[in-house]
Amino acid sequence: MSDHDYQPSSKLGKWFNDRLPLLTLSNHLAEYPTPKNLNYWWTFGGILTFCLITQIVTGLTLAMHYIADSDLAFASVEHIMRDVNYGWLIRYVHANGASMFFLAVYIHIFRALYYGSYKSPREVIWIIGMIIYFLMMATAFMGYVLPWGQMSFWGATVITNLFSAIPFVGEGIVAWLWGGFAVDNPTLTRFYALHYLLPFLILGLVVLHIWALHVPGNNNPIGIDIKKPSKDTVPFHPYIVIKDGFALLMFMIVFAFFVFYSPNILGHADNYIEANPMVTPAHIVPEWYLLPFYAILRSVPDKLLGVIAMFAAIFVLVILPWLDTSKIRSAVFRPLYKQFYWILVIDVLILGYVGAMPAEGLYLLVARVATTYYFIHFLIVLPILGYREKTIPVPLSITEPVLGGSPNPGLIKRKESLN
Amino acid sequence: MSEKKPKRREFLFTATYALGVVGVGAVAWPLIDQMNPDASVKALASTEVDVSSVEPGNTITVLWRGKPVFIRRRTQDEIAEAKAVKMEELKHPEKDEDRAKDPEWLVMLGICTHLGCVPLNDKGDYNGWFCPCHGSHYDTSGRIRKGPAPTNMEVPKYEFLNVNTIKIG
């Protein structure tokens, strides 16, 4: 990389940097050449980093007051809400922060889907991202159990029971997860320990995610390879820092709206009833961000196959870089993919909606159609589209449509040979 | 000799790796097994229930090992309905006689075999139980008739200590 020859200006800086090149790293981050055409959909990486740090900081402070014990957990959460100084604020930021985190991650993922950011050479970034997403779901699920309300308890029961679908060893695995014969105190204490651990694993993976990003550099809205640094790039600081910062402020307005004006709208009233192993709430639903997967689970009438379908729905995303056969990254130049992309977006929204509704009648039918289409999109449409689609010619550089030519002579040659 | 030497070294490597795997496994096992049900959880193995106040057609729910257990005193109609079902109609064929030793008393884990919710009494298409979570219907013998649950509701080990007392577990 071009910034390896960086030298700090001060003597002390040089002395330190020779021993631990932290200043080289920070210089790399500041100078990091970024495509100049990045739009606001690219600001969600920074927003997600903010979300993770918010969750860790608020989580740490909540942990100072929360008690992981099936007799005390529910009361300790109420104690946080009523007695602890600003406890209500910290808990509402943490609880809504989870939703905001998922809102941002879904936008981030769908941006990658639209602009083909998962394609070569960025497959590893994408896979690390999917692992982060999966860990986020695990973390959020376990965090939701901690207040020990009715939804906590029954959500935990339903999700852990998913593993009982595994032939032969399923029951043993579930007893092992529970530490008993039902969700109970041992389950709560271990979920607390893991809920504390996983965000730090996510943090580590975020570092790898960014590291892997900085090898090929950012994708961009027109999805072409660009020469770095060149007329097509701007340094990360101050250009992207300011843009990300502005987007973050906008995002924080939405965040603050939920925290201060409707802090419980994304939750369930049932979770303000203490956990009761004798009574299941009439209508169990997971948090909104898990609803599409829940709809897929319920749309299959067989227990094991339902669980397999649900995990497969995540797994097809992991192998997406090899399912999408098109060499063109950005949907801007893929007229058919662009339409299928929006159908997928609608399909996932429908899955989310029916996931929140009772699994019967028309809802069940819609869920089945939407589930089938979800898999058709990834397993049939994307592989075929790469061969069949007539794509629009891509420009040679970001500046080409305006200035003509290309900073990359190789690309000019290639285009000339095509003409 | 030159043929033999690398083989000996390979053997040593393989043996070392194998021993290393056994060692890691031995160290990991306590860390994994600590999550299994502990001695105090296992100690709560049985519960005794007084059923003298249960009228025909009523169900009581008691907690056994942290799980709800339904004890239903069935009416004659319900018993007749449960016995009339043909085995071919069942997803998980079990005779009613095998599920309720004394046909008047049905004792079973009140846990849907799909994903563990507690089904609701006197609901569903088969006059038995209905699970609100994912729509499984059970008949008056607690057998799965419709919906995603794979098996009938489980009958735990239990016995009548006397006319009024059931010991579960």
Side-chain angles (χ1 to χ4, degrees):
Chain A
M1 264 169 266
S2 60
D3 45 18
H4 274 186
D5 45 20
Y6 165 76
Q7 287 293 336
S9 49
S10 76
K11 237 180 161 177
L12 179 66
K14 192 176 170 335
W15 177 88
F16 182 83
N17 203 48
D18 286 344
R19 282 148 186 84
L20 179 68
L22 273 185
L23 294 170
T24 301
L25 177 65
S26 83
N27 176 262
H28 160 78
L29 293 175
E31 297 292 323
Y32 173 64
T34 319
K36 58 166 37 167
N37 60 340
L38 293 190
N39 57 34
Y40 274 105
W41 301 113
W42 258 265
T43 60
F44 283 86
I47 287 169
L48 283 162
T49 311
F50 165 80
C51 287
L52 178 61
I53 290 166
T54 304
Q55 291 307 89
I56 289 176
V57 171
T58 53
L60 176 74
T61 44
L62 286 172
M64 295 179 184
H65 305 279
Y66 172 77
I67 302 163
D69 180 290
S70 58
D71 290 332
L72 303 171
F74 188 81
S76 78
V77 171
E78 284 312 300
H79 160 74
I80 289 169
M81 292 303 286
R82 290 154 197 249
D83 305 335
V84 174
N85 299 333
Y86 293 104
W88 61 272
L89 177 65
I90 298 170
R91 175 164 174 265
Y92 277 153
V93 169
H94 195 72
N96 286 283
S99 282
M100 292 300 113
F101 205 158
F102 276 96
L103 175 69
V105 91
Y106 281 124
I107 295 173
H108 195 62
I109 289 171
F110 274 98
R111 186 271 291 155
L113 291 178
Y114 189 82
Y115 295 111
S117 300
Y118 48 86
K119 289 185 197 182
S120 173
R122 297 184 180 82
E123 301 96 321
V124 172
I125 311 173
W126 172 257
I127 290 170
I128 293 170
M130 282 297 128
I131 297 170
I132 293 172
Y133 173 52
F134 191 74
L135 288 181
M136 276 174 65
M137 290 196 281
T139 311
F141 157 68
M142 287 192 274
Y144 196 57
V145 175
L146 302 184
W148 211 239
Q150 272 290 67
M151 279 294 176
S152 301
F153 184 90
W154 292 101
T157 299
V158 168
I159 301 295
T160 49
N161 261 305
L162 292 180
F163 294 93
S164 72
I166 303 167
F168 309 115
V169 293
E171 298 292 333
I173 289 175
V174 173
W176 177 71
L177 288 172
W178 287 340
F181 305 107
V183 172
D184 210 334
N185 194 49
T187 325
L188 176 61
T189 50
R190 67 191 52 183
F191 277 19
Y192 183 47
L194 292 172
H195 183 71
Y196 209 122
L197 167 74
L198 290 186
F200 294 98
L201 288 186
I202 292 174
L203 187 64
L205 285 164
V206 166
V207 171
L208 292 183
H209 193 63
I210 296 171
W211 187 0
L213 169 71
H214 279 230
V215 176
N218 289 69
N219 184 27
N220 62 79
I222 59 173
I224 57 166
D225 290 323
I226 52 169
K227 192 172 181 289
K228 293 162 295 189
S230 72
K231 272 193 293 185
D232 280 347
T233 67
V234 288
F236 188 79
H237 183 76
Y239 296 95
I240 303 297
V241 169
I242 292 297
K243 187 164 184 160
D244 276 1
F246 178 70
L248 180 60
L249 279 174
M250 294 296 118
F251 184 79
M252 283 160 91
I253 291 173
V254 178
F255 198 141
F257 174 83
F258 279 106
V259 169
F260 293 107
Y261 292 94
S262 53
N264 288 308
I265 200 166
L266 298 169
H268 299 287
D270 275 317
N271 223 29
Y272 283 99
I273 304 168
E274 193 169 1
N276 178 357
M278 308 273 267
V279 182
T280 306
H283 188 194
I284 299 190
V285 263
E287 293 289 81
W288 68 267
Y289 39 81
L290 303 175
L291 287 173
F293 297 108
Y294 193 60
I296 290 172
L297 167 77
R298 295 194 306 181
S299 68
V300 183
D302 181 85
K303 180 173 167 178
L304 178 61
L305 291 178
V307 174
I308 290 172
M310 189 182 72
F311 283 104
I314 302 168
F315 187 69
V316 291
L317 289 173
V318 176
I319 57 169
L320 176 61
W322 294 275
L323 292 174
D324 185 345
T325 51
S326 175
K327 297 279 175 267
I328 306 296
R329 291 196 193 101
S330 174
V332 170
F333 305 107
R334 299 185 62 190
L336 280 176
Y337 174 73
K338 198 189 271 180
Q339 293 174 27
F340 281 112
Y341 170 86
W342 287 111
I343 295 172
L344 178 73
V345 171
I346 293 164
D347 186 65
V348 171
L349 291 175
I350 289 172
L351 279 173
Y353 174 74
V354 293
M357 295 294 133
E360 54 199 29
L362 187 64
Y363 294 124
L364 193 56
L365 180 71
V366 172
R368 285 180 178 161
V369 173
T371 298
T372 311
Y373 183 76
Y374 180 90
F375 286 105
I376 287 176
H377 175 88
F378 288 106
L379 298 176
I380 297 173
V381 172
L382 287 189
I384 293 175
L385 211 55
Y387 297 107
R388 292 292 172 85
E389 187 176 30
K390 192 161 163 38
T391 54
I392 298 166
V394 294
L396 295 172
S397 75
I398 295 166
T399 46
E400 190 212 10
V402 185
L403 302 175
S406 167
N408 188 338
L411 283 172
I412 292 179
K413 250 187 218 153
R414 213 174 74 196
K415 191 174 190 182
E416 280 165 354
S417 69
L418 287 173
N419 288 340
Chain B
M1 199 66 192
S2 60
E3 285 275 303
K4 238 183 179 178
K5 254 191 181 170
K7 274 189 181 164
R8 215 168 90 164
R9 180 144 294 189
E10 278 166 29
F11 171 76
L12 281 172
F13 277 140
T14 310
T16 312
Y17 292 145
L19 195 66
V21 168
V22 171
V24 169
V27 172
W29 178 246
L31 297 174
I32 294 166
D33 190 45
Q34 54 83 22
M35 280 174 68
N36 272 317
D38 63 32
S40 73
V41 170
K42 285 181 183 160
L44 301 168
S46 67
T47 305
E48 287 177 25
V49 190
D50 180 8
V51 293
S52 57
S53 59
V54 184
E55 298 291 329
N58 279 350
T59 304
I60 57 167
T61 309
V62 296
L63 216 53
W64 170 64
R65 289 172 154 189
K67 294 180 174 191
V69 174
F70 292 153
I71 301 176
R72 183 169 181 89
R73 189 168 183 181
R74 297 192 294 181
T75 62
Q76 290 307 318
D77 289 350
E78 286 168 354
I79 297 168
E81 197 182 328
K83 288 194 190 289
V85 178
K86 293 194 193 82
M87 285 300 112
E88 306 84 75
E89 292 172 31
L90 296 172
K91 189 171 176 182
H92 176 200
E94 269 187 315
K95 285 189 187 140
D96 187 57
E97 296 89 279
D98 298 336
R99 292 179 57 79
K101 288 175 243 174
D102 175 350
E104 202 179 358
W105 294 96
L106 178 64
V107 180
M108 62 185 181
L109 289 184
I111 292 176
C112 180
T113 55
H114 182 223
L115 293 174
C117 297
V118 180
L120 304 168
N121 283 322
D122 301 316
K123 290 259 165 61
D125 297 353
Y126 296 88
N127 304 319
W129 285 266
F130 171 72
C131 182
C133 295
H134 308 96
S136 292
H137 298 256
Y138 296 88
D139 66 13
T140 55
S141 189
R143 292 174 295 199
I144 178 67
R145 302 300 292 275
K146 198 173 132 189
T151 58
N152 303 333
M153 278 193 263
E154 191 184 335
V155 176
K157 208 178 126 211
Y158 68 92
E159 57 181 336
F160 276 88
L161 295 180
N162 55 51
V163 187
N164 289 330
T165 314
I166 297 178
K167 182 186 169 200
I168 305 165

